[in-house]
Every structure is written in C-alpha cells, then in structure tokens.
Amino acid sequence: MPPLGSRLLNTIHIVALGIWTGGLLMTGIAAAILFPTIRALNPALPSYERFTEPHWAIAAGHVGRRIFLAADVVQMTAAGLTLLGVGGLIIAGRWPRHTIIGATRLALIGAALTLVCYQLIVLGGRMDTNLTGYWTAAREGHMDEALRLRAAFEADHPVASRVAAATALATLTALCLGAWQSTLVLGDRHRGERT
C-alpha cells in the first residue's frame, strides 16, 4: 500500500479513537450534570401519579436514555472506523506489530472493542429491559414490580459505569500511543529527508 493509503488508514483510526473517547467522556459529564439537576427540581409527572416514589429518576432517565442511545451510536461508529483503520494497516503490512507500542495499541483496541460489545449486547440490553419495565409498572401503579425492576436496573449501574470508564481509558491510551507513534515515524522521515 502506498504511504498515502497507510497514512489515511492511520488517520482514520486515530480520529475514530478520539471521537470514541470524547463521546464516552461527554456522556459521563452529561449524566453527572443531568441527574443531580433533575433531582434538585423534584418534578411530579402526571402520567406517573400512581407511582408514590419520587419521580425525578424517571424524568432524568427518559432524557438520559436518549443521551446513552446517542453515545452507543457514536461508540459503534467509532469502533467500526477504528477496526477499519487498524485492519487495513495490518492487511497492508503497515501496522508496527513488532514494537511494544504497536502491540500495546492492539491490546488496548481489542480490550475497548470487547468492552463495547459486552456493553451493547449483554449489559445494555438487560438494563434497557429493566428500565422500560420499571417505567411501565410505575405508570400503571404496580409498586412492587416497579421497585423490583428499578432495583435490578440499579444493580447493573455500577458495572455499566466501570465498563464505560475502562473503555474510555483504553481508547484514550490507544489514542495517545497512536499519536505519539505517528509523530515518531514522521520525525524519522523528516530527519531522513534532511540527510
């Protein structure tokens, strides 16, 4: 593959890692602002009047669910582009796999892909089922069922937070290593052109 093609693939996967990391960080920031703000407002939702617990978590959850859905779309797109760039470089024989940095980057990207698949396929589906069931039961005034489903959702929440944090750490570290390695390669080329 010509140098231009490998540079393009490298750029694609580094930019995708940046978008992936940024999406995860902004989702965490949005949630950290959204939930305490709605809690402080202490809203009462007419469609949930038969649910006697505070309504703030339901109100915030409806907004948060859309934010997390958008984050999932960003993660899937960025993960696909990351895989495209890395896969293209490996197939072309341009991935620095015989270096510690190259091997570390691959391991981090593999970890991030594994984590996002777990989050999207296993954890996210289960949490969404419990969340929608909780809302339905709360709206219909089935308190015991609503509280049971809310507890099941909340039991998965710490795991989801750790998965998101670990994914962000993996993508950010892979991004930094990739950018650093790219500057090293460009620096070597620049020195070679001057001699």
Side-chain angles (χ1 to χ4, degrees):
M1 177 176 288
L4 180 61
S6 58
R7 281 198 297 264
L8 177 62
L9 288 170
N10 195 52
T11 300
I12 287 170
H13 103 268
I14 287 177
V15 168
L17 283 169
I19 292 169
W20 192 351
T21 304
L24 286 164
L25 295 176
M26 283 309 300
T27 301
I29 291 168
I33 294 170
L34 172 69
F35 286 88
T37 302
I38 299 294
R39 184 177 192 162
L41 292 171
N42 194 27
L45 307 175
S47 56
Y48 289 90
E49 64 187 0
R50 298 196 310 189
F51 184 66
T52 57
E53 294 282 313
H55 293 176
W56 71 267
I58 295 172
H62 276 80
V63 178
R65 184 181 191 201
R66 292 182 179 193
I67 292 170
F68 292 122
L69 176 61
D72 287 346
V73 171
V74 169
Q75 281 202 88
M76 286 187 294
T77 305
L81 290 171
T82 299
L83 202 54
L84 172 75
V86 171
L89 288 168
I90 290 171
I91 290 168
R94 297 288 187 166
W95 185 264
R97 62 179 177 257
H98 299 300
T99 66
I100 292 173
I101 296 174
T104 303
R105 286 169 62 196
L106 271 183
L108 289 165
I109 291 166
L113 290 169
T114 302
L115 288 165
V116 76
C117 286
Y118 172 71
Q119 190 274 321
L120 293 173
I121 297 168
V122 178
L123 191 59
R126 184 172 67 221
M127 290 180 76
D128 194 61
T129 299
N130 289 328
L131 186 64
T132 55
Y134 158 48
W135 290 341
T136 300
R139 193 169 36 251
E140 294 170 358
H142 302 306
M143 290 297 295
D144 290 342
E145 181 70 2
L147 294 175
R148 183 188 67 78
L149 290 165
R150 183 176 73 181
F153 173 82
E154 289 174 349
D156 280 332
H157 191 270
V159 176
S161 296
R162 287 193 295 270
V163 167
T167 306
L169 181 62
T171 57
L172 178 61
T173 307
L175 169 66
C176 292
L177 289 174
W180 182 49
Q181 195 164 39
S182 295
T183 59
L184 292 175
V185 169
L186 289 174
D188 289 345
R189 284 189 188 141
H190 184 64
R191 279 192 296 276
E193 288 169 4
R194 289 192 318 192
T195 56

